[in-house]
Short mmCIF file of all heavy atoms in Angstrom, two decimals:
data_model
loop_
_atom_site.label_atom_id
_atom_site.label_comp_id
_atom_site.label_asym_id
_atom_site.label_seq_id
_atom_site.Cartn_x
_atom_site.Cartn_y
_atom_site.Cartn_z
N SER X 1 0.79 -1.24 0.04
CA SER X 1 0.00 0.01 -0.03
C SER X 1 0.85 1.23 0.03
O SER X 1 0.59 2.21 -0.72
CB SER X 1 -0.90 0.00 1.24
OG SER X 1 -1.82 -1.05 1.21
N GLY X 2 1.87 1.22 0.81
CA GLY X 2 2.82 2.40 0.86
C GLY X 2 3.48 2.64 -0.44
O GLY X 2 3.60 3.78 -0.88
N LEU X 3 3.92 1.59 -1.10
CA LEU X 3 4.55 1.71 -2.40
C LEU X 3 3.55 2.17 -3.45
O LEU X 3 3.93 2.96 -4.31
CB LEU X 3 5.22 0.36 -2.83
CG LEU X 3 6.45 -0.07 -2.04
CD1 LEU X 3 6.93 -1.41 -2.45
CD2 LEU X 3 7.64 0.96 -2.21
N GLY X 4 2.36 1.72 -3.33
CA GLY X 4 1.31 2.18 -4.26
C GLY X 4 1.04 3.72 -4.12
O GLY X 4 0.85 4.39 -5.12
N LEU X 5 1.14 4.20 -2.92
CA LEU X 5 0.96 5.61 -2.69
C LEU X 5 2.10 6.47 -3.31
O LEU X 5 1.90 7.61 -3.70
CB LEU X 5 0.82 5.94 -1.23
CG LEU X 5 -0.41 5.44 -0.50
CD1 LEU X 5 -0.35 5.68 1.00
CD2 LEU X 5 -1.65 6.24 -1.07
N LEU X 6 3.29 5.80 -3.35
CA LEU X 6 4.43 6.50 -3.93
C LEU X 6 4.56 6.25 -5.45
O LEU X 6 5.47 6.68 -6.07
CB LEU X 6 5.77 5.94 -3.28
CG LEU X 6 5.84 6.23 -1.73
CD1 LEU X 6 7.02 5.51 -1.24
CD2 LEU X 6 5.91 7.76 -1.49
N GLY X 7 3.58 5.55 -6.09
CA GLY X 7 3.52 5.41 -7.48
C GLY X 7 4.13 4.10 -7.97
O GLY X 7 4.24 3.87 -9.18
N TYR X 8 4.52 3.21 -7.07
CA TYR X 8 5.11 1.91 -7.50
C TYR X 8 3.99 0.89 -7.49
O TYR X 8 2.96 0.98 -6.70
CB TYR X 8 6.18 1.46 -6.49
CG TYR X 8 7.41 2.34 -6.55
CD1 TYR X 8 7.57 3.30 -5.53
CD2 TYR X 8 8.37 2.23 -7.52
CE1 TYR X 8 8.70 4.13 -5.54
CE2 TYR X 8 9.45 3.00 -7.50
CZ TYR X 8 9.59 4.00 -6.60
OH TYR X 8 10.67 4.85 -6.49
N THR X 9 4.10 -0.21 -8.31
CA THR X 9 3.13 -1.26 -8.28
C THR X 9 3.82 -2.58 -7.98
O THR X 9 5.04 -2.71 -8.34
CB THR X 9 2.36 -1.35 -9.58
OG1 THR X 9 3.34 -1.59 -10.62
CG2 THR X 9 1.61 -0.09 -9.89
N ILE X 10 3.11 -3.47 -7.34
CA ILE X 10 3.64 -4.79 -7.11
C ILE X 10 2.75 -5.81 -7.75
O ILE X 10 1.50 -5.80 -7.54
CB ILE X 10 3.70 -5.11 -5.56
CG1 ILE X 10 4.65 -4.10 -4.87
CG2 ILE X 10 4.09 -6.52 -5.27
CD1 ILE X 10 4.71 -4.26 -3.40
N SER X 11 3.31 -6.68 -8.56
CA SER X 11 2.48 -7.66 -9.27
C SER X 11 1.96 -8.68 -8.23
O SER X 11 2.58 -8.89 -7.14
CB SER X 11 3.26 -8.41 -10.31
OG SER X 11 4.27 -9.22 -9.70
N PRO X 12 0.91 -9.43 -8.51
CA PRO X 12 0.46 -10.49 -7.62
C PRO X 12 1.51 -11.54 -7.29
O PRO X 12 1.59 -11.98 -6.17
CB PRO X 12 -0.72 -11.09 -8.32
CG PRO X 12 -1.28 -10.01 -9.19
CD PRO X 12 0.00 -9.24 -9.63
N ALA X 13 2.33 -11.90 -8.28
CA ALA X 13 3.40 -12.84 -7.99
C ALA X 13 4.42 -12.28 -7.07
O ALA X 13 4.89 -13.01 -6.15
CB ALA X 13 4.05 -13.21 -9.33
N ASP X 14 4.74 -11.01 -7.21
CA ASP X 14 5.71 -10.40 -6.27
C ASP X 14 5.15 -10.31 -4.86
O ASP X 14 5.85 -10.49 -3.87
CB ASP X 14 6.14 -9.03 -6.74
CG ASP X 14 7.00 -9.07 -7.99
OD1 ASP X 14 7.68 -10.12 -8.29
OD2 ASP X 14 7.09 -8.02 -8.70
N ALA X 15 3.84 -9.99 -4.84
CA ALA X 15 3.21 -9.81 -3.51
C ALA X 15 3.19 -11.21 -2.79
O ALA X 15 3.36 -11.28 -1.58
CB ALA X 15 1.80 -9.37 -3.66
N GLN X 16 3.04 -12.31 -3.53
CA GLN X 16 3.06 -13.67 -2.89
C GLN X 16 4.51 -14.02 -2.45
O GLN X 16 4.65 -14.68 -1.38
CB GLN X 16 2.63 -14.72 -3.89
CG GLN X 16 1.15 -14.84 -3.88
CD GLN X 16 0.81 -16.07 -4.74
OE1 GLN X 16 1.37 -16.29 -5.72
NE2 GLN X 16 -0.17 -16.86 -4.23
N ALA X 17 5.57 -13.55 -3.11
CA ALA X 17 6.86 -13.90 -2.78
C ALA X 17 7.46 -12.96 -1.71
O ALA X 17 8.44 -13.31 -1.01
CB ALA X 17 7.78 -13.88 -4.05
N LEU X 18 6.88 -11.80 -1.54
CA LEU X 18 7.51 -10.80 -0.58
C LEU X 18 7.49 -11.34 0.86
O LEU X 18 8.53 -11.03 1.53
CB LEU X 18 6.63 -9.59 -0.72
CG LEU X 18 7.29 -8.24 -0.21
CD1 LEU X 18 8.66 -7.99 -0.69
CD2 LEU X 18 6.42 -7.05 -0.46
N PRO X 19 6.53 -11.96 1.39
CA PRO X 19 6.69 -12.44 2.81
C PRO X 19 7.83 -13.32 3.04
O PRO X 19 8.60 -13.25 4.01
CB PRO X 19 5.30 -13.12 3.09
CG PRO X 19 4.37 -12.58 2.14
CD PRO X 19 5.17 -12.25 0.90
N VAL X 20 8.06 -14.20 2.05
CA VAL X 20 9.22 -15.14 2.13
C VAL X 20 10.59 -14.34 2.08
O VAL X 20 11.45 -14.51 2.86
CB VAL X 20 9.22 -16.19 1.10
CG1 VAL X 20 10.44 -17.10 1.10
CG2 VAL X 20 7.95 -17.06 1.27
N LEU X 21 10.60 -13.43 1.16
CA LEU X 21 11.76 -12.55 1.03
C LEU X 21 12.05 -11.75 2.27
O LEU X 21 13.13 -11.70 2.79
CB LEU X 21 11.59 -11.64 -0.17
CG LEU X 21 12.72 -10.57 -0.35
CD1 LEU X 21 14.03 -11.32 -0.70
CD2 LEU X 21 12.38 -9.64 -1.48
N LEU X 22 11.03 -11.10 2.85
CA LEU X 22 11.15 -10.26 4.00
C LEU X 22 11.56 -11.11 5.24
O LEU X 22 12.40 -10.68 6.04
CB LEU X 22 9.84 -9.57 4.35
CG LEU X 22 9.44 -8.47 3.33
CD1 LEU X 22 8.08 -7.91 3.70
CD2 LEU X 22 10.49 -7.33 3.32
N SER X 23 11.05 -12.31 5.43
CA SER X 23 11.40 -13.16 6.49
C SER X 23 12.84 -13.65 6.34
O SER X 23 13.54 -13.77 7.27
CB SER X 23 10.47 -14.34 6.72
OG SER X 23 10.50 -15.16 5.62
N SER X 24 13.22 -13.89 5.12
CA SER X 24 14.62 -14.37 4.87
C SER X 24 15.56 -13.19 5.24
O SER X 24 16.63 -13.40 5.77
CB SER X 24 14.83 -14.76 3.42
OG SER X 24 14.04 -15.93 3.16
N VAL X 25 15.23 -11.95 4.77
CA VAL X 25 16.10 -10.80 5.05
C VAL X 25 16.20 -10.57 6.61
O VAL X 25 17.22 -10.34 7.14
CB VAL X 25 15.55 -9.58 4.32
CG1 VAL X 25 16.24 -8.28 4.85
CG2 VAL X 25 15.76 -9.72 2.85
N ALA X 26 15.03 -10.71 7.25
CA ALA X 26 15.02 -10.50 8.68
C ALA X 26 15.88 -11.56 9.42
O ALA X 26 16.65 -11.23 10.34
CB ALA X 26 13.59 -10.58 9.29
N ALA X 27 15.85 -12.79 8.89
CA ALA X 27 16.64 -13.91 9.53
C ALA X 27 18.13 -13.61 9.29
O ALA X 27 18.96 -13.75 10.19
CB ALA X 27 16.24 -15.26 8.96
N GLY X 28 18.44 -13.15 8.11
CA GLY X 28 19.87 -12.82 7.84
C GLY X 28 20.34 -11.67 8.67
O GLY X 28 21.44 -11.76 9.18
N VAL X 29 19.55 -10.62 8.75
CA VAL X 29 19.95 -9.47 9.55
C VAL X 29 20.11 -9.89 11.09
O VAL X 29 21.10 -9.59 11.78
CB VAL X 29 18.99 -8.31 9.51
CG1 VAL X 29 19.22 -7.25 10.51
CG2 VAL X 29 19.05 -7.73 8.08
N GLY X 30 19.15 -10.72 11.54
CA GLY X 30 19.31 -11.23 12.92
C GLY X 30 20.51 -11.99 13.12
O GLY X 30 21.22 -11.91 14.16
N GLY X 31 20.92 -12.83 12.18
CA GLY X 31 22.09 -13.73 12.30
C GLY X 31 23.35 -12.78 12.34
O GLY X 31 24.25 -13.03 13.15
#
């Protein structure tokens, strides 16, 4: 939603992959 307000769009496929990507990034940063 925030990106949409800034003029960016996320495809449905990207939206499905984003939670996995974010949790992987969070795990990496935590490590």
Side-chain angles (χ1 to χ4, degrees):
S1 296
L3 290 174
L5 291 173
L6 296 174
Y8 296 98
T9 58
I10 297 176
S11 72
D14 290 340
Q16 274 189 318
L18 197 55
V20 175
L21 174 65
L22 291 175
S23 64
S24 297
V25 168
V29 168

